[in-house]
Amino acid sequence: MRRSTMIDEGKLNIFIGQMLGDLGGASSVAMVRLGGSLGLYETLHAKGPMTCAQLAKAAKVHERYLREWLSHQAASNYLAYDAKTDTFSLPPEQAMVFVNQESPVYMMGGFDLMTALLDNQPKVQAAFKSGQGVAWGDQTGCMFCAVARFFRPGYQNFLVQQWLPALDGVVEKLERGAKVADVGCGHGWSTVLMAKAFPKSTFIGYDFHPSSIEDARAHAKEHGVSANTRFEVGLAKDYPGKDFDLVTCFDCLHDMGDPAGASGHIRQSLKPDGSWMIVEPMAGDTLEQNLNPVGRLYYAGSTMICLPTSLAQEVGAGLGAQAGEKRLRETIMSGGFRSVRRATETPFNMILEARP
């Protein structure tokens, strides 16, 4: 017999309000990507307040379509609207998110990533039934491009300026000339940034995805660091090379099928006085610590990308993007490291330093 449940109208109305906000945010993914692809944000940023007709002419788009898009952007508080002059403008704060690619809060990659999550749904949905994984190379759409674009602003603004200096004696080694392995380098942005900052050091980027390695080589050439970088296809637990002064893993340890095996191999590849820097998504050790906006995004990414990637590999540890420091520390220590500490952090990342 079905039980009757009393509905709290106040709670229901609050939840409906939340759903309206969530659906509005979801609808904005396509709208923001349109604005980025068509150069609408950039044009407004460069030219200042404009009417719909003026922006349509400047951006070379159809005015009627643009009117609808501008109205949505104003309703979303992404653009400012002046009813007296019928003009739209991009406030400087919003420009930090939509236009300035050097900004630490540039989020256009995040909108690309949300599209990739949706495209990935059919494969992950099948995996929910089978329990199998979805290999990184089989992910739908340009997942690799979206992930690289999403993480790049953080690396651009924090890697050289804050994260490396937080490690024990590492910057001094890099300035003198060190040997570095960037494991799980993806499109190589982290490798390129380090190579630019420390031209006397040598950087080798390893990734198990051949297409990403090709893109990484192109980025190194484009940014003029081919002389002190090279990129090779390799797994985290068997890449070639030894006597590294520094090994880095950026937002990838939790994606690995055998992170403990990777830890053991990284330990063997380091010099006795070497360091391993592990950058991982910010997370507490319990679910209740992660019930917040950052955890919400990371759990979605973990469900649709990270967990399927790990389960598709050998061992299939399935740490997940919100593994937390305790579990990460245990995984790292299992490889033979004697110490692990949290060197620094941002609202989105924890930076761990492991020593042999």
Side-chain angles (χ1 to χ4, degrees), residues 164-178:
L164 288 172
L167 306 181
D168 186 16
V170 166
V171 168
E172 291 81 357
K173 291 181 182 180
L174 292 170
E175 288 174 340
R176 289 195 303 266

Side-chain angles (χ1 to χ4, degrees), residues 16 70 108 111 113 123 132 256 259 310 314 321 341-342:
I16 290 172
L70 285 168
M108 293 301 285
F111 288 90
L113 196 55
K123 293 186 176 184
Q132 297 177 351
M256 296 177 187
S310 177
E314 184 182 16
R341 72 180 181 95
R342 185 182 296 198

